Amino acid sequence: MIRYIDDFIVCFEYKKDAERFVEVLEKRLAKFSLSLEPNKTRLIEFGKFAERKAKAKNKKADTLYFLGFTHYCTTSRKGYFQVGRKTERTRLRRSMGNLKDRIREAMHWSIKDQIDRINRTLRGHYNYYGMGGNSRSLNKIYYFAMQYLRKVLSRRSQKSHVTWELFGKIMKKHPILQPYIKIPYTEFGNYVIV
């Protein structure tokens, strides 16, 4: 069982056990006038053999969404089963929207102050989503920040078109915080409580 506040995932080896658990849980919650959230509750096949079985049926293996991440079945470089994680699509869009708003609000600030504000936002994003295997999603928000900042700097006045060459000089003087992994694969075991 993996739990965070009122969200949890329960893993079973056998489908019958999972079905029985859901049945018993629904009855137990009903005693307290509670129910499971139907949009968040589902039984999926996930794990070492799930991808192979899905391919045999010409389907894609199921994914699950938990705490802002999409978890999916994948393999390591050595070919072993591994749980992959990436920022959930809606959360990534929301983060980009927040970043866009912050950049727009600071449009007429000094470049140093604008980039300081962007870096604070990115640091928070990287600290939460900076897990091993999620570098592609982190790079997406980083490049989005760079492109949108250049676009906003070009709109500051009629004469302020910022070329990529000029933007490169600005980035050398006031760099945007590059993505980093806060929790690498090697440290995942440190966060498990048995």
Side-chain angles (χ1 to χ4, degrees):
M1 181 172 179
I2 303 147
R3 182 179 76 88
Y4 183 78
I5 305 176
D6 64 341
D7 288 337
F8 61 91
I9 298 171
V10 184
C11 305
F12 294 93
E13 189 173 354
Y14 302 107
K15 186 178 179 180
K16 286 181 184 177
D17 292 339
E19 290 168 344
R20 174 97 174 103
F21 176 80
V22 171
E23 185 182 311
V24 170
L25 183 62
E26 285 174 341
K27 287 179 185 175
R28 178 86 172 143
L29 289 173
K31 287 181 182 179
F32 301 100
S33 301
L34 297 170
S35 63
L36 293 171
E37 172 61 46
N39 295 333
K40 289 186 172 184
T41 307
R42 62 190 181 123
L43 289 175
I44 65 166
E45 193 165 5
F46 195 87
K48 197 182 252 186
F49 307 108
E51 195 165 10
R52 195 179 320 155
K53 288 179 182 177
K55 280 182 183 176
K57 296 176 185 175
N58 286 331
K59 290 184 178 181
K60 225 176 171 184
D62 285 325
T63 59
L64 62 101
Y65 308 104
F66 187 62
L67 302 178
F69 288 92
T70 300
H71 302 269
Y72 58 95
C73 300
T74 187
T75 52
S76 67
R77 290 180 184 162
K78 294 182 179 179
Y80 299 116
F81 170 76
Q82 181 175 306
V83 176
R85 287 166 197 81
K86 63 182 178 181
T87 307
E88 188 182 346
R89 189 180 302 140
T90 56
R91 298 289 180 99
L92 187 61
R93 269 195 239 121
R94 188 187 316 160
S95 294
M96 286 177 175
N98 289 340
L99 194 56
K100 203 176 195 179
D101 292 343
R102 296 233 165 109
I103 292 171
R104 229 185 278 134
E105 288 167 6
M107 181 178 188
H108 296 289
W109 297 6
S110 71
I111 291 174
K112 182 189 179 308
D113 290 342
Q114 284 183 52
I115 292 175
D116 285 345
R117 185 173 194 173
I118 292 166
N119 285 344
R120 278 195 306 270
T121 304
L122 289 175
R123 188 173 293 111
H125 185 85
Y126 298 158
N127 284 341
Y128 186 82
Y129 293 103
M131 293 184 78
N134 195 26
S135 55
R136 188 176 290 164
S137 296
L138 297 178
N139 284 328
K140 280 182 184 177
I141 198 155
Y142 170 73
Y143 288 113
F144 173 81
M146 289 187 52
Q147 289 174 341
Y148 198 73
L149 176 62
R150 180 182 163 268
K151 185 177 180 179
V152 166
L153 290 175
S154 292
R155 290 181 175 176
R156 282 165 66 138
S157 73
Q158 291 177 346
K159 298 177 183 178
S160 67
H161 178 72
V162 177
T163 63
W164 281 110
E165 184 182 339
L166 177 58
F167 189 72
K169 289 176 183 175
I170 293 169
M171 288 297 100
K172 279 184 182 174
K173 192 171 182 182
H174 305 287
I176 289 179
L177 186 64
Q178 292 197 355
Y180 57 85
I181 300 295
K182 184 79 172 172
I183 305 172
Y185 279 119
T186 54
E187 291 182 21
F188 280 4
N190 298 339
Y191 295 90
V192 175
I193 299 171
V194 181

